[in-house]
């Protein structure tokens, strides 16, 4: 069953709850800005992501608050078109949450939340010393998407400098997701921590035969999941008949064939179950050899 909801049929804040509950986890732009009088603001925004790297471009969207007023971040950006996007990790999430409280304009959230303000190199707003990755940006464009409470203003920023804690890098110089320990927003008061079992790898195929090219009995399997089919479809070419014959002759499936001959199990089910376990280990070629060895 599917529940269909049209934004025109419900109050905006009701459809908003559907959106933030299903579009996530969302990265957090912990944005520091400055007004013309020198007062600093620090606020988190989960309507945020990167939108290109030549030039490096970040976009986040402060919304009009429930009172119909522009947020202090947006007011500052209209005065001084510069911003520092500070990335949020687990070690600073509670302080970040405190900075999201509705303080009066002019109140310094660095001080309220207990963060250390560090002067930036190329822009006027300071950066958060505790953040594991920081991007100094100049604002290229602000685009209003609507009017009234909930209306977003897309802030398109070009990165002019980046600062990264050495501790987040591997020995090869790449960012280690375990070490950076990022957090992201979900719906309501929920967050997501990119750590432990939440982290997994999915290899990107250069090409693949696709799910549509799988044999019908495999594509319609009651045992193999959609993720399993995706892995199978990522192979560039099916094993040859000679490869399948050699695999069968190797004795790798003797136990399964014996079990099926004794009437204990249906052979295709046994092969699909074995292939499913192989796919968990990302042994895609071996899974294919198993599935084709009927």
């Amino acid at each position: 069953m599917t529940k269909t909801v049209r934004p025109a049929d419900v109050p905006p804040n009701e459809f908003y709850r559907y959106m933030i509950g299903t579009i996530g986890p969302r990265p957090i732009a912990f944005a520091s800005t400055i007004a013309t009088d020198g007062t600093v603001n620090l606020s988190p925004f989960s309507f945020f992501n990167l939108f290109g790297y030549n030039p490096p471009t970040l976009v986040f969207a402060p919304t009009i608050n429930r009172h119909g007023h522009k947020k202090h971040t947006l007011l500052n950006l209209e005065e001084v078109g510069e911003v520092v996007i500070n990335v949020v990790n687990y070690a600073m999430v509670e302080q970040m949450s405190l900075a999201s409280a509705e303080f009066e304009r002019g109140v310094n959230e660095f001080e309220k939340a207990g963060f250390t303000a560090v002067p930036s190199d190329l822009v006027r707003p300071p950066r958060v010393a505790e953040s594991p990755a920081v991007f100094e940006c100049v604002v290229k464009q602000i685009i209003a998407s609507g009017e009234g409470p909930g209306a977003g203003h897309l802030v398109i920023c070009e990165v002019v400098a980046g600062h990264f804690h050495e501790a987040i890098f591997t020995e090869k110089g790449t960012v280690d997701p375990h070490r950076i320990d990022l957090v992201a927003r979900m719906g309501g008061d929920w967050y997501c921590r990119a750590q432990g079992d939440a982290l997994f790898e999915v290899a990107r195929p250069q090409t693949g035969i696709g799910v549509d090219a799988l044999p019908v009995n495999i594509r319609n399997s009651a045992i193999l999941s959609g993720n399993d089919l995706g892995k199978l479809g990522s192979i560039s070419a099916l094993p040859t008949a000679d490869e399948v014959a050699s695999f069968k002759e190797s004795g790798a499936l003797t136990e399964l064939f014996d079990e099926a001959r004794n009437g204990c199990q249906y052979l295709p089910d046994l092969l699909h179950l074995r292939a499913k376990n192989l796919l968990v280990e990302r042994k895609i070629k071996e899974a294919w050899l198993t599935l084709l060895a009927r």
Side-chain angles (χ1 to χ4, degrees):
M1 297 290 290
T2 299
K3 179 177 182 178
T4 299
V5 181
R6 297 181 180 180
D9 296 336
V10 296
N13 62 339
E14 182 176 335
F15 200 79
Y16 163 75
R17 286 192 289 270
Y18 290 118
M19 294 179 73
I20 63 170
T22 57
I23 300 173
R26 302 184 304 280
I28 301 167
F30 201 21
S32 51
T33 56
I34 193 168
T36 51
D37 64 4
T39 56
V40 171
N41 181 265
L42 180 63
S43 299
F45 300 92
S46 69
F47 295 174
F48 162 63
N49 220 308
L50 62 98
F51 285 83
Y53 58 90
N54 186 22
T57 302
L58 304 178
V59 177
F60 71 103
T63 57
I64 302 298
N65 68 21
R66 64 181 184 276
H67 307 296
H69 302 145
K70 292 181 178 180
K71 293 186 176 180
H72 302 155
T73 296
L74 182 57
L75 293 172
N76 284 357
L77 292 174
E78 290 176 338
E79 293 183 9
V80 178
E82 298 174 347
V83 60
V84 178
I85 304 295
N86 305 276
V87 166
V88 179
N89 68 358
Y90 187 73
M92 57 188 287
V93 67
E94 295 287 353
Q95 289 173 274
M96 179 277 300
S97 179
L98 177 56
S100 71
E102 293 186 4
F103 297 110
E104 294 292 327
R105 191 179 187 197
V107 171
N108 189 327
E109 286 86 0
F110 277 90
E111 297 173 356
K112 285 292 183 185
F115 285 115
T116 307
V118 177
S120 296
D121 292 348
L122 301 176
V123 298
R124 281 164 281 184
R127 53 192 173 95
V128 176
E130 291 79 4
S131 174
V134 171
F135 300 94
E136 297 183 21
C137 306
V138 293
V139 176
K140 307 300 289 185
Q141 193 175 7
I142 299 176
I143 303 172
S145 64
E147 298 179 354
H153 285 71
L154 277 65
V155 181
I156 302 174
C157 312
E158 181 177 337
V159 179
V160 293
H163 307 275
F164 310 97
H165 288 185
E166 290 286 353
I168 70 174
F169 293 104
T170 68
E171 291 70 23
K172 296 180 179 179
T174 58
V175 176
D176 186 329
H178 299 277
R179 297 179 186 180
I180 194 170
D181 201 9
L182 296 172
V183 295
R185 286 290 276 123
M186 304 292 283
D189 291 335
W190 289 95
Y191 286 78
C192 177
R193 183 180 185 183
Q195 193 58 260
D197 290 342
L199 292 173
F200 59 93
E201 291 184 283
V202 177
R204 177 184 292 183
Q206 295 300 313
T207 184
I209 63 171
V211 171
D212 60 328
L214 305 186
V216 174
N217 69 304
I218 295 174
R219 193 166 66 241
N220 296 334
S221 172
I223 294 171
L224 299 172
S225 69
N227 278 335
D228 294 331
L229 299 182
K231 291 176 185 177
L232 292 169
S234 69
I235 200 167
S236 58
L238 292 178
T240 65
D242 288 343
E243 288 176 316
V244 175
S246 296
F247 184 69
K248 291 175 68 174
E249 292 170 6
S250 72
L253 300 176
T254 299
E255 180 184 347
L256 297 186
F257 283 114
D258 288 345
E259 190 172 345
R261 270 195 297 269
N262 292 331
C264 299
Q265 291 284 344
Y266 180 50
L267 180 59
D269 286 352
L270 290 173
L271 295 174
H272 283 213
L273 285 168
R274 173 67 64 84
K276 187 176 185 70
N277 291 330
L278 291 168
L279 289 170
V280 170
E281 302 175 36
R282 299 207 68 85
K283 296 179 178 178
I284 299 173
K285 181 68 173 288
E286 192 172 341
W288 264 116
L289 290 169
T290 300
L291 290 168
L292 296 175
R294 294 183 59 181

